[in-house]
Amino acid sequence: MVCVLVWRQDGRLVIQRRGAHKTGPLKFDTSVGGVVPAGLTPEAAALKEMQEELGLSGNLTYLGKVKDFRDDGRQLGFVYLYTLQHDGPYTNWEEEAERLEFFTVEEMNYMTERFPYMFTGGLKAAWQYYRQMQKGT
């Protein structure tokens, strides 16, 4: 799996609110995420998913390999985590998401701590890893 945290220049993280028809309906999810198909590197898969889900391209920054957990706490595997700074426009998201949200770091910290059930396991794991990197631990 791959995950991209897309940051706007104003410091807000682009979050997908999953569609009602998707697994984990209406939960907050990563900016971009998907599988790594056979024959693609994780970075190539992340670039492909960015184009498909948000209509974006750009230079990714690799953050690391993160344990991915289901909402029930069981480990699914690993996710290759990347970041990208991009102010849009964001297109194509209507096929994947109910809507896009834009959270500050403070809002993400508050929401993930107070309302963890509103987030997919993947986003919670990615956010925890990102926070640890920012703290230098």
Side-chain angles (χ1 to χ4, degrees):
M1 296 287 296
V2 293
C3 167
V4 181
L5 300 176
V6 178
W7 293 93
R8 298 189 329 183
Q9 192 170 359
D10 65 4
R12 292 183 177 270
L13 178 63
V14 179
I15 299 292
Q16 289 193 33
R17 185 78 184 252
R18 292 183 67 80
H21 64 287
K22 303 290 278 184
T23 304
L26 303 178
K27 289 190 175 194
F28 294 114
D29 202 358
T30 57
S31 309
V32 172
V35 300
V36 180
L40 287 185
T41 64
E43 183 174 1
L47 291 167
K48 178 179 176 285
E49 291 292 335
M50 282 184 354
Q51 182 61 45
E52 289 176 0
E53 293 184 19
L54 294 178
L56 300 180
S57 61
N59 295 320
L60 296 172
T61 300
Y62 177 68
L63 295 182
K65 192 173 169 182
V66 182
K67 290 181 181 179
D68 185 23
F69 293 93
R70 293 172 48 112
D71 290 338
D72 64 9
R74 290 184 292 157
Q75 185 177 343
L76 286 173
F78 292 92
V79 173
Y80 294 90
L81 182 60
Y82 298 89
T83 63
L84 174 75
Q85 184 171 335
H86 205 295
D87 285 334
Y90 310 111
T91 60
N92 305 338
W93 59 266
E94 296 91 346
E95 294 178 25
E96 294 284 330
E98 188 79 13
R99 66 179 181 268
L100 297 180
E101 302 275 351
F102 307 95
F103 289 171
T104 64
V105 169
E106 293 79 15
E107 290 167 336
M108 278 295 295
N109 288 337
Y110 178 82
M111 293 288 289
T112 55
E113 289 171 12
R114 294 285 180 116
F115 309 103
Y117 58 88
M118 295 178 67
F119 295 82
T120 63
L123 178 53
K124 287 186 284 190
W127 186 250
Q128 181 180 10
Y129 186 85
Y130 178 81
R131 285 181 65 186
Q132 289 173 346
M133 287 190 65
Q134 297 305 302
K135 292 178 183 177
T137 59

